[in-house]
């Protein structure tokens, strides 16, 4: 399927919206079959590599079937399913990839995605002339720092949350609680307070977001050292304390309603 062309942003959104609206019926249409081709070409190879790292040798069809089954799973609590959330994400394919990795971990393993599989993440095409650090590198650099001050048992969840944060730029302040709730779906083992702590160290804290955001700094300078910035060093220490204090908090998505 080397000739399969990746859907542009508009088509990604349209396809996922149709899937959310029509469910399995959509997959019987021409566009539904084209969506299956997208999963086979752009998602299955990376997840196959991840599965091998977890000790499973899978075929592409098995990986695609897993993703489809999860997308069609009955919605719970009257909430929108992952297809609709992906359709509204800044980068739908990257959001869907993050979901697929979590589903794969639940079915086939608990470790992080191997380095070779990470290269298959369907991120936006980077401009060779761009002055900014590639998104995947920004995530890796940020994770390398926060991993030093957080328990190892949370590292998989933190990395997934950082990836979600990287491909979903902040929305208006009035949407902040909904946004954090959507992010929490990527890392349900974290508490509400821990999700907030990770997103704050990644994006920065108001009103000094620019001087406290690790991702923002790494986006501008991949060689940035936190020891060279007092504001970032203080933010990292504050993050460490907030994350630790949040360990006993709620992990219930429904609690975001009152937490916001």
């Amino acid at each position: 399927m080397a000739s399969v062309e990746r859907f542009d942003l508009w088509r990604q959104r349209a396809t996922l919206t149709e899937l959310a609206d029509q469910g399995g019926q959509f997959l019987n249409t021409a566009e539904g079959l084209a969506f299956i081709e997208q999963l086979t070409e752009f998602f299955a190879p990376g997840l196959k590599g991840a599965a091998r790292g977890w000790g499973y040798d899978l075929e592409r069809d098995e990986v695609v079937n897993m993703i489809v089954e999860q997308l069609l799973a009955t919605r719970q609590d009257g909430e929108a399913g992952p297809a609709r959330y992906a359709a509204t994400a800044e980068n739908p394919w990257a959001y869907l990839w993050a979901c697929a990795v979590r589903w794969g971990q639940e079915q086939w393993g608990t470790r992080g995605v191997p380095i070779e599989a990470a290269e298959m993440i369907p991120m936006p095409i980077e401009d060779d002339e761009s002055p900014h650090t590639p998104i995947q590198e920004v995530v890796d650099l940020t994770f390398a720092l926060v991993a030093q001050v957080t328990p190892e048992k949370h590292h998989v969840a933190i990395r997934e949350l950082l990836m979600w944060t990287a491909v979903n730029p902040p929305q208006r302040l009035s949407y902040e609680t909904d946004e954090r709730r959507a992010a929490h779906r990527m890392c349900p083992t974290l508490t509400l307070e821990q999700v907030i702590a990770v997103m704050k160290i990644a994006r920065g804290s108001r009103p000094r977001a620019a001087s406290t955001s690790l991702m923002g700094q790494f986006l501008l300078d991949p060689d940035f050292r936190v020891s060279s910035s007092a504001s970032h060093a203080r933010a990292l220490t504050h993050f460490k304390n907030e994350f630790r204090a949040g360990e006993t908090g709620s992990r219930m998505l429904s609690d975001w309603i009152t937490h916001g």
Side-chain angles (χ1 to χ4, degrees):
M1 289 195 177
S3 61
V4 175
E5 183 177 349
R6 191 175 72 169
F7 284 3
D8 60 22
L9 184 62
W10 179 88
R11 197 173 178 188
Q12 291 176 27
R13 295 192 192 285
T15 298
L16 288 164
T17 299
E18 289 296 316
L19 180 64
D21 290 342
Q22 301 181 30
Q25 293 182 350
F26 170 70
L27 298 177
N28 294 323
T29 67
E31 193 67 357
L33 293 176
F35 172 66
I36 295 297
E37 285 187 329
Q38 293 287 298
L39 297 181
T40 303
E41 180 67 17
F42 301 113
F43 289 77
L47 285 172
K48 279 187 61 177
R52 281 196 300 272
W54 299 325
Y56 293 85
D57 188 13
L58 304 173
E59 298 296 329
R60 286 194 183 192
D61 287 348
E62 294 177 276
V63 175
V64 171
N65 288 339
M66 182 275 293
I67 298 175
V68 171
E69 287 174 359
Q70 291 291 336
L71 286 171
L72 296 180
T74 303
R75 290 182 295 183
Q76 298 179 357
D77 301 324
E79 299 173 351
R84 196 171 301 282
Y85 278 107
T88 59
E90 183 74 12
N91 183 337
W93 261 205
Y95 184 100
L96 183 56
W97 167 264
C99 290
V101 169
R102 175 165 56 86
W103 297 330
Q105 288 171 340
E106 292 170 353
Q107 292 198 27
W108 307 316
T110 57
R111 287 174 288 173
V113 178
I115 296 299
E116 63 271 19
E119 297 175 356
M120 302 299 295
I121 296 176
M123 298 294 292
I125 298 175
E126 299 286 350
D127 184 351
D128 291 339
E129 301 300 322
S130 173
H132 295 142
T133 310
I135 291 297
Q136 183 60 54
E137 186 175 353
V138 169
V139 172
D140 291 341
L141 290 168
T142 303
F143 175 73
L145 272 181
V146 301
Q148 296 177 29
V149 296
T150 52
E152 184 176 358
K153 66 179 181 179
H154 292 308
H155 285 179
V156 170
I158 290 173
R159 181 180 281 277
E160 290 190 9
L161 179 54
L162 288 173
M163 177 59 72
W164 188 98
T165 303
V167 300
N168 288 276
Q171 305 298 313
R172 293 198 300 270
L173 182 60
S174 59
Y175 293 142
E176 187 172 61
T177 299
D178 289 339
E179 183 183 34
R180 288 171 171 174
R181 188 183 189 190
H184 198 184
R185 296 174 184 279
M186 296 297 100
C187 50
T189 59
L190 298 182
T191 67
L192 276 62
E193 291 80 9
Q194 288 173 327
V195 169
I196 292 173
V198 172
M199 295 182 77
K200 284 170 61 178
I201 192 61
R203 292 177 173 173
S205 299
R206 290 186 299 272
R208 304 180 62 202
S211 61
T212 56
S213 166
L214 290 184
M215 280 190 174
Q217 196 63 40
F218 283 129
L219 190 66
L220 298 174
D221 178 15
D223 297 320
F224 167 72
R225 295 291 180 267
V226 73
S227 58
S228 67
S229 169
S231 61
H232 285 91
R234 286 193 297 269
L236 188 61
T237 298
H238 188 60
F239 160 76
K240 174 185 176 180
N241 294 334
E242 279 193 330
F243 192 92
R244 181 182 301 169
E247 182 69 35
T248 59
S250 171
R251 292 175 172 79
M252 300 295 293
L253 287 173
S254 57
D255 285 346
W256 283 107
I257 297 175
T258 55
H259 198 276

